[in-house]
Structure formats: C-alpha cells, structure tokens
Amino acid sequence: MTYNLRSYSKISYFDELMVGCIAGSKVCLTCTDDRGRVIHYDSDVTDERGEFDMIVSKYINGKQLKEKKCSVRLVSSPDPSCNILTDFAGGKSGVKLRRPTSVYRDTVKYMLTPFYFTSPMCDEPDTTDQYDDTQGNNY
C-alpha cells in the first residue's frame, strides 16, 4: 500500500495583489512514531504549475506509517525575491494529514490546500522585546 500526497493547488507567492506559481519550491513530509521520533522524511520540488506529488510506502523498515503522525510543510523557494515562508494554510508550521481525498485499492491519496511564500518586504518584523530592562535604563 502507498500514500500519494499531491497538491493540486499551487505553491505560490503573494505580494500585494500579485499571485503566481513558483516552480522548484521544496516541500517535505515528516512522519513520526508514537514516541515522537522521526521515522520517515521525504521531500519533493514543485513543477511549473507549482504542484508536487510524493508517493510514500505505507511500511518503512517494517513499521507501518500512521498518516495522522505525518505532516507536510514548505522548505524553500528558488526565487530570492519571494522566499519568506508564510503560515497561510499551515505551510510554515506544517499540515497534518487528516482525511484522504480518495482511497482506491492499495493507494491512499491526500490533496493539500495551497501554501504561500511572500517577499522580504511583506514579512512581518519581530516586535518582541529582546532586551531585559530590569535596571531601569531607558537608553
């Protein structure tokens, strides 16, 4: 039996009102066991339409992968002007596999929602206070 992870939607960018596909973007699949240890890691790059397709065996080293312990996330963009990961649709933090979109014979398919990158100009700055002002110094 195999799992087929497919994004029929685009790995895209958004910068103001522009949206488009980024071919060559990298996504990864990470699966853990019941104790939280990584037992499988796989990656793929998107095609010219911004889509990816990963086929993973249900059994890795004799152990069955549990799809609910697997997540897919963005890794990188080849476009230097649009390479900031966003968490829109879970692209940055990862999307857990929940319900398959189809089950047919020995293949279970998952279709994911779009993931997005943004430009460095649109990235939100870190506004957390990094300095401890315990001495009352205000300069």
Side-chain angles (χ1 to χ4, degrees):
M1 178 172 272
T2 59
Y3 295 117
N4 185 344
L5 305 172
R6 175 179 289 271
S7 172
Y8 292 101
S9 46
K10 311 294 186 223
I11 301 293
S12 303
Y13 65 89
F14 65 91
D15 184 2
E16 297 178 11
L17 297 177
M18 297 173 49
V19 176
C21 302
I22 301 178
S25 296
K26 189 173 184 180
V27 296
C28 75
L29 167 74
T30 305
C31 299
T32 59
D33 63 10
D34 291 330
R35 295 172 62 187
R37 298 175 297 188
V38 175
I39 59 172
H40 183 71
Y41 177 87
D42 198 2
S43 63
D44 195 18
V45 293
T46 58
D47 62 16
E48 66 279 351
R49 295 180 314 219
E51 299 176 354
F52 65 91
D53 191 10
M54 277 190 262
I55 298 176
V56 180
S57 175
K58 188 172 182 173
Y59 293 94
I60 303 292
N61 297 325
K63 293 185 177 183
Q64 182 177 352
L65 288 182
K66 296 178 182 176
E67 63 268 17
K68 293 191 184 329
K69 300 259 182 200
C70 295
S71 65
V72 179
R73 67 179 176 84
L74 286 172
V75 176
S76 63
S77 166
D79 185 349
S81 66
C82 189
N83 60 3
I84 304 298
L85 304 172
T86 71
D87 214 20
F88 186 82
K92 185 176 181 179
S93 60
V95 175
K96 294 279 188 191
L97 300 181
R98 297 286 179 215
R99 294 186 180 139
T101 48
S102 72
V103 178
Y104 181 72
R105 296 192 182 189
D106 289 338
T107 302
V108 179
K109 292 186 180 186
Y110 293 87
M111 184 171 52
L112 305 175
T113 58
F115 292 150
Y116 294 90
F117 291 98
T118 190
S119 69
M121 178 183 271
C122 294
D123 191 28
E124 291 184 25
D126 183 8
T127 58
T128 59
D129 189 13
Q130 296 177 352
Y131 300 102
D132 184 22
D133 191 24
T134 58
Q135 298 178 353
N137 295 334
N138 293 326
Y139 57 98

